[in-house]
Amino acid sequence: MRSVSILGATGSVGESAFDLLMQSGGPARWRVVALTGGRNVARLAQMARALGAELAVIADDTLLPALRDALAGTEIEAAGGAQALIEAADRPADWVLSAIVGAAGLAPGLRVAERGGVLALANKESLVAAGPLLMGTAARTGATILPVDSEHSAIFQCLDRNNIEAVERVTITASGGAFRDWPLERLAHATVAEASCHPNWTMGQRITIDSASMFNKALEVIEAHEFFALPAGRIAVLVHPESIVHAMVSYADGGTLAHLGPPDMRHAIGHALHWPRREPLGLPRLDLAALGSLTFRAPCETRWPALALARQVIASGGAAGAVFNAAKEQALDDFIAGRIRFTDMAPAVDRALAAAAGRAGFGASPDSLAAVLDWDRQARRDAAAVRGVAGQGAA
Ligand code: NDP
């Protein structure tokens, strides 16, 4: 019986993983070590009961009494708080999915790498903020990191590891998000509700807005750089409104391998869950005849300035990834809270990167969690400082 843990079980990716476990035998097949949630006690308790989990952790520790109540009458252990999340990650399990959103996923994911475990990584922010630390830790301990982000899972599946030097380019596709066809002048007035509707994928609100701004793709370019050790010049982005081709790998002989699949995260999660085998998954199949055609176009960098910022981050190296991720999270918080406009997010991140570049130590990759978090805190302050500017602009 394989043992599994899901960090961020109550989110969109966590729900997809839960569905896969339930439809492939549930507790009769899987030993579920730990499930974690942020604030959604009711759903966490329901999932823990359904899968017979050994431990349920709620990140917001004020909600621990409510979790205990919801698990009353079961033998499921309940815990709360950031340290309990790390302890959940530390519990031996054959496979751990990191599906927490944002920088909060870094410490638990890093703990899995430190104990040499198998980390299925949906939390792209970990690689963006601390790629060298996470990958270096995994190399040292023998941990396995498997990509769950659909584009990176696609690259992973198309990559000929015996011919890495022959890889000319990887291309990750982007749907273009909610505003891909909006007139540019409308973008400054985009509302949170409008940015929160994805044309193809059903995902958490934050990644959906990041898709509209293309910050999600910017994170993914950096993620591909960190995960596959590719330079920025060999990572291309292509707008593909149908979200069927997830990524392509082009080789020196002119051949290109593409990965296709319906826009459903269960395919990428299922691939990582069963890797290195390919097991049957009871999921929708691709019907290309029904689709008829697939379209592609080059991304417009005026519409999506986040893409140029991603290349700047890769060129800078050092602490730039930690700064970029944190500044982006702060700008997104500010947009969701109505403090800045949609089009203020990229300038806020740019400003945080410029401020950080002037600080001592920027050129060196943070070599500990504490160092990453120091850059993270400062970057959030720098990005937040743009609020006044945005307020004046909007007035
Ligand atoms: P959601 O917002 O749907 O879910 C996030 C999960 O993290 C929830 O379980 C949430 O708990 C938990 N959480 C939130 N804040 C904290 C915190 N401070 N500490 C601990 N746990 C917390 O996000 P998604 O599922 O959409 O995305 C998860 C990750 O996967 C992100 O990194 C995203 O970029 C990545 N990803 C997502 C894809 C998708 O299709 N959704 C595709 C590819 C990658 P609760 O809800 O209980 O508060």
Side-chain angles (χ1 to χ4, degrees):
M1 206 182 210
R2 276 181 78 206
S3 56
V4 300
S5 290
I6 305 176
L7 313 176
T10 50
S12 166
V13 171
E15 285 283 0
S16 293
F18 173 77
D19 181 68
L20 282 174
L21 296 183
M22 291 303 283
Q23 63 161 262
S24 62
R29 174 164 181 200
W30 305 98
R31 192 186 129 220
V32 177
V33 175
L35 298 180
T36 81
R39 297 186 47 81
N40 191 345
V41 165
R43 185 62 184 139
L44 178 62
Q46 232 172 23
M47 289 172 144
R49 283 173 181 269
L51 283 169
E54 293 167 16
L55 169 68
V57 176
I58 197 79
D60 181 340
D61 57 4
T62 64
L63 297 171
L64 180 55
L67 181 61
R68 287 209 176 99
D69 286 350
L71 293 173
T74 72
E75 296 194 345
I76 303 165
E77 201 183 326
Q83 189 52 37
L85 276 183
I86 295 174
E87 281 160 22
D90 212 22
R91 291 224 177 162
D94 298 328
W95 187 87
V96 181
L97 174 63
S98 172
I100 291 173
V101 67
L106 173 56
L110 190 58
R111 183 54 62 93
V112 177
E114 282 165 354
R115 69 168 174 78
V118 175
L119 177 65
L121 193 65
N123 179 266
K124 61 191 83 182
E125 297 90 343
S126 303
L127 275 175
V128 173
L133 177 63
L134 187 61
M135 299 304 283
T137 303
R140 180 167 48 78
T141 63
T144 301
I145 302 186
L146 297 170
V148 170
D149 217 350
S150 56
E151 294 77 1
H152 303 74
S153 172
I155 297 169
F156 189 74
Q157 294 179 57
C158 292
L159 205 58
D160 179 351
R161 279 169 193 71
N162 295 321
N163 279 296
I164 291 290
E165 69 291 344
V167 173
E168 257 180 14
R169 186 176 65 254
V170 302
T171 304
I172 57 182
T173 60
S175 70
F179 305 142
R180 69 177 171 232
D181 298 317
W182 274 36
L184 288 180
E185 58 278 9
R186 258 185 84 191
L187 292 180
H189 309 289
T191 65
V192 174
E194 287 165 335
S196 302
C197 295
H198 198 284
N200 306 335
W201 294 89
T202 306
M203 309 186 285
Q205 187 194 31
R206 297 182 72 85
I207 184 174
T208 303
I209 300 176
D210 282 350
S211 297
S213 63
M214 217 45 118
F215 266 113
N216 180 48
K217 214 47 57 180
L219 292 172
E220 289 177 3
V221 167
I222 303 168
E223 181 186 9
H225 161 72
E226 297 294 355
F227 193 88
F228 299 105
L230 289 166
R234 285 161 74 192
I235 307 169
V237 174
L238 193 60
V239 175
H240 168 43
E242 296 83 7
S243 298
I244 297 297
V245 176
H246 302 305
M248 296 174 256
V249 181
S250 303
Y251 291 93
D253 59 8
T256 292
L257 300 189
H259 177 277
L260 286 73
D264 181 333
M265 278 303 291
R266 292 175 301 175
H267 288 279
I269 300 167
H271 177 268
L273 178 61
H274 297 293
W275 183 87
R277 291 151 43 105
R278 293 193 89 108
E279 293 232 342
L281 297 174
L283 298 175
R285 289 341 194 208
L286 197 57
D287 183 348
L288 286 175
L291 277 162
S293 62
L294 299 177
T295 58
F296 303 91
R297 50 177 126 136
C300 163
E301 301 223 345
T302 312
R303 181 180 298 277
W304 294 304
L307 293 176
L309 289 173
R311 281 194 299 276
Q312 185 186 320
V313 166
I314 295 174
S316 299
V323 171
F324 178 80
N325 184 64
K328 192 282 297 176
E329 290 192 10
Q330 180 64 53
L332 181 57
D333 285 345
D334 287 343
F335 172 63
I336 291 173
R339 292 187 287 261
I340 64 172
R341 296 169 304 186
F342 183 77
T343 45
D344 293 324
M345 289 192 285
V349 174
D350 195 19
R351 176 188 174 120
L353 281 168
R359 296 199 174 95
F362 179 72
S365 284
D367 59 359
S368 66
L369 182 58
V372 175
L373 297 179
D374 278 348
W375 285 106
D376 179 293
R377 275 187 290 272
Q378 184 59 52
R380 283 173 204 263
R381 281 194 290 272
D382 290 335
V386 87
R387 282 177 207 156
V389 177
Q392 279 164 26

